[in-house]
Amino acid sequence: MKTTVKQGTLTGTPTEVLVIPGYESDSSMGKAIQPLDRNLGGQLAELRKNGEFQGKPNQTVLIHTRGAIPAKRILLVGLGKRDDLTLDRIRQAMGTAAKRVRQTEARSFTAVIPGVNRSGMWPDDLAQAMVDGVILGDYRFTAYRTDAASKCKPLNSMTILVDNASIVNTVKRGVQRGEATGEATCFARDLSNHPANVMTPSRVVEEAKKVAKEKKVKLSVLNPSKMKQLGMGGVLGVGQASQHPPQFIILEYHGGKKGEKPIVFVGKTVTFDSGGISLKPSENMERMKADMTGGSAVLATLRAAARLSLPLNIIGLLPVVENMPGGKATKPGDVLTMLSGKTVEVQNTDAEGRLILADGLAYADRLKPACVIDIATLTGACTVALGQFAIGLLGNDDKLKDQFKAAGDRSGERVWEMPLWDEYFEQLKSDVADMRNIGGRGGGMITAALFLKQFVGKFPWVHLDIASTDWSASDRPCISKGPTATGTRVLIQYLLNTVNKPHK
Ligand code: BES
Ligand code: ZN
Ligand code: ZN
């Protein structure tokens, strides 16, 4: 979808659909709307008066203008209460609008930018949220549909209408950022949506090769024999029963100064998590095709960073495995020697994410990173603790944690911190090895992160547990049912904030 920014008026803009956001419990449509409503013979005021459009979050009303103005249709979309306006409300309203426009025959529309002139709301951030929302709301995964009906065409273009020429360039900057986060999320959603018989470890490598076609991006891949040479016991141990050999992807983006330390992302990329010998129950097991979302988010983030030419050095590390049972599988009680040299007793083969990430984190240390962020669908305990609206955040550095809290709030993918106290290590002790890979009852998200911490070098580090938000049971304004590609936007927003200090 292409977005343009134009200065103009509501009554003088030809378009298929004119999208106008409205607040809840505003008695009128606001001053700016009055000339428009005069042309429409007071229809909008009547909708308000009759309570047919109340402006509740994501409420929509569509009317045909029948030649009264150059716009063919008007779509009113609710923003909720004026005082409760957030960027995410705007993002959701636009996701809702995109879905509603798509139900008409129109494939292009014009939207008014809401919230300008409000304190704490900047035109570039507003535009970013709008574009992001439309792209996310328009997303559907139809790669395996053979019926024409479900192949409904995506939207072609959107115009953002501003009344003041002085903000056009600022709005354009926001549009570019919204396109980057929205498109990256759709790319990551596609990766996690493809079934595991297609999205095998070698296919993930193919996808990384495509990303490496972007400017200043370089790819290297460690195959199992190279991993053996290095001693990556975690990745090899998890992947050893699969027909699809594990891979270790290293994707580098050199947009920053030569010699500047890289930001390193490590993404859990389990193309299918059956649980291994500690087999998962069959109910919902199909969802484990999305156990690679950490890796999807990292690939998409690197692609976005390259497309935005961010002046940063970034390295993405993806340990890629399929976790399967079989004659060669790692068994409960087996001991693995990890890349760092530490030993782990595998008491549950379903706690595989931490084993592959441990090698990823140990590898990151060799890259002399500025900081390391790992992202993983790591624990069911994350969902128990946080439900479906917050990503788990743990780490060893307050500044980096604060940066992720800020990026979470701004991107609409909010994070919530959990403690990472060393006392919890008691639960990870093993009788035969340096540690075991499960922490027993209680604090499952914490013990998993504390396990990872044993492999973290002397660098600022945060861990994002996205198991809570990885899968949506229903369609929402900006989230489609199924894999959500959660985390992609918070990673990109973190990079954007690193480059441009966010507005206060
Ligand atoms: N991939 C799962 C975690 C998960 C569960 C993600 C549900 C998304 C939805 C992970 O590998 C896993 O199986 N973790 C176990 C760890 C346990 C055995 C200590 C879990 O959380 O049950
Ligand atoms: Zn598992
Ligand atoms: Zn897993």
Side-chain angles (χ1 to χ4, degrees):
M1 198 202 58
K2 202 176 147 21
T3 304
T4 45
V5 183
K6 223 178 80 179
Q7 189 207 356
T9 61
L10 298 176
T11 48
T13 304
T15 177
E16 290 288 329
V17 189
L18 184 60
V19 175
I20 303 179
Y23 294 110
E24 188 175 338
S25 44
D26 267 10
S27 53
S28 69
M29 296 296 295
K31 251 200 193 130
I33 306 292
Q34 281 165 13
L36 169 70
D37 205 21
R38 267 198 295 279
N39 286 8
L40 293 168
Q43 269 198 77
L44 301 181
E46 198 151 321
L47 286 168
R48 282 285 189 180
K49 205 172 79 204
N50 298 344
E52 287 166 84
F53 179 72
Q54 297 164 321
K56 289 206 187 301
N58 304 315
Q59 185 192 11
T60 57
V61 173
L62 183 82
I63 58 173
H64 283 256
T65 63
R66 316 192 66 165
I69 54 164
K72 272 200 211 161
R73 307 171 187 83
I74 287 179
L75 177 66
L76 301 175
V77 54
L79 285 173
K81 298 213 169 70
R82 193 181 280 271
D83 291 341
D84 296 345
L85 187 69
T86 58
L87 290 174
D88 203 48
R89 277 272 164 86
I90 292 171
R91 187 180 290 107
Q92 289 193 33
M94 292 308 290
T96 304
K99 285 188 167 66
R100 186 65 189 88
V101 171
R102 213 175 49 194
Q103 287 167 13
T104 72
E105 52 175 30
R107 284 296 169 268
S108 62
F109 65 96
T110 300
V112 181
I113 190 161
V116 184
N117 304 329
R118 285 183 50 136
S119 66
M121 292 274 173
W122 301 80
D124 52 344
D125 291 347
L126 293 166
Q128 179 182 346
M130 287 173 78
V131 177
D132 192 32
V134 170
I135 295 174
L136 296 175
D138 196 29
Y139 177 83
R140 272 161 326 143
F141 184 70
T142 56
Y144 299 91
R145 298 271 189 199
T146 59
D147 53 320
S150 51
K151 290 261 182 198
C152 146
K153 283 196 213 131
L155 298 172
N156 284 335
S157 61
M158 136 153 118
T159 303
I160 295 183
L161 195 64
V162 298
D163 57 3
N164 182 345
S166 69
I167 63 168
V168 168
N169 284 334
T170 313
V171 169
K172 279 185 179 164
R173 272 200 301 280
V175 167
Q176 205 196 15
R177 299 197 311 240
E179 283 173 344
T181 50
E183 282 168 14
T185 307
C186 294
F187 172 47
R189 279 185 191 168
D190 280 350
L191 293 174
S192 292
N193 248 313
H194 276 295
N197 61 331
V198 172
M199 197 51 67
T200 56
S202 58
R203 171 71 186 264
V204 178
V205 170
E206 292 309 309
E207 296 294 333
K209 278 185 190 159
K210 286 187 215 160
V211 176
K213 291 208 171 98
E214 301 288 337
K215 279 198 195 111
K216 300 185 183 171
V217 180
K218 202 184 101 198
L219 171 72
S220 27
V221 181
L222 310 179
N223 61 21
S225 68
K226 184 72 194 166
M227 282 191 256
K228 210 170 202 163
Q229 216 180 316
L230 291 174
M232 290 186 156
V235 185
L236 291 168
V238 175
Q240 71 195 27
S242 169
Q243 296 295 314
H244 304 284
Q247 310 283 345
F248 192 92
I249 293 174
I250 303 155
L251 200 59
E252 298 172 48
Y253 166 66
H254 291 280
K257 292 195 197 83
K258 224 180 161 155
E260 199 171 84
K261 285 181 171 182
I263 295 169
V264 177
F265 294 121
V266 186
K268 169 177 172 181
T269 319
V270 178
T271 60
F272 189 74
D273 181 12
S274 70
I277 296 294
S278 316
L279 195 66
K280 283 184 179 296
S282 53
E283 196 182 328
N284 292 336
M285 205 208 269
E286 73 285 352
R287 294 188 180 180
M288 286 301 121
K289 70 174 183 178
D291 207 24
M292 56 173 287
T293 298
S296 305
V298 171
L299 282 185
T301 299
L302 267 110
R303 195 181 82 168
R307 290 186 176 178
L308 287 168
S309 308
L310 296 184
L312 297 168
N313 293 333
I314 309 168
I315 302 180
L317 301 177
L318 279 72
V320 195
V321 295
E322 187 185 58
N323 185 23
M324 294 294 276
K328 287 188 186 164
T330 293
K331 302 164 291 296
D334 286 2
V335 174
L336 303 176
T337 302
M338 316 293 275
L339 179 62
S340 76
K342 292 201 167 122
T343 56
V344 176
E345 181 190 1
V346 179
Q347 288 192 353
N348 189 319
T349 63
D350 196 13
E352 84 298 341
R354 61 197 77 182
L355 297 172
I356 67 169
L357 287 171
D359 283 352
L361 290 165
Y363 193 88
D365 196 30
R366 302 176 177 200
L367 303 170
K368 301 197 172 37
C371 60
V372 176
I373 299 98
D374 82 73
I375 173 162
T377 46
L378 204 62
T379 64
C382 175
T383 315
V384 174
L386 296 175
Q388 52 177 334
F389 299 110
I391 291 172
L393 169 79
L394 303 100
N396 65 5
D397 185 87
D398 287 341
K399 187 169 163 226
L400 192 60
K401 282 190 282 195
D402 285 345
Q403 286 169 333
F404 269 85
K405 289 173 193 168
D409 289 345
R410 194 132 168 245
S411 67
E413 293 189 322
R414 287 171 293 175
V415 303
W416 198 257
E417 187 178 355
M418 301 293 281
L420 192 59
W421 301 323
D422 287 331
E423 283 87 335
Y424 290 94
F425 191 78
E426 203 54 42
Q427 291 174 235
L428 287 169
K429 284 193 170 152
S430 158
D431 292 338
V432 295
D434 296 339
M435 68 197 94
R436 59 177 189 155
N437 76 329
I438 51 172
R441 273 189 162 274
M445 172 168 30
I446 297 166
T447 50
L450 195 60
F451 179 94
L452 298 179
K453 192 171 173 227
Q454 311 311 308
F455 301 89
V456 170
K458 285 194 170 40
F459 46 75
W461 159 70
V462 298
H463 160 63
L464 299 173
D465 194 334
I466 53 170
S468 47
T469 48
D470 182 50
W471 189 282
S472 179
S474 59
D475 273 321
R476 293 184 243 161
C478 293
I479 294 177
S480 47
K481 193 174 170 191
T484 60
T486 179
T488 310
R489 286 186 287 142
V490 75
L491 293 187
I492 298 174
Q493 191 64 56
Y494 161 73
L495 295 177
L496 290 170
N497 290 356
T498 305
V499 174
N500 291 312
K501 288 281 158 267
H503 302 296
K504 284 273 177 260

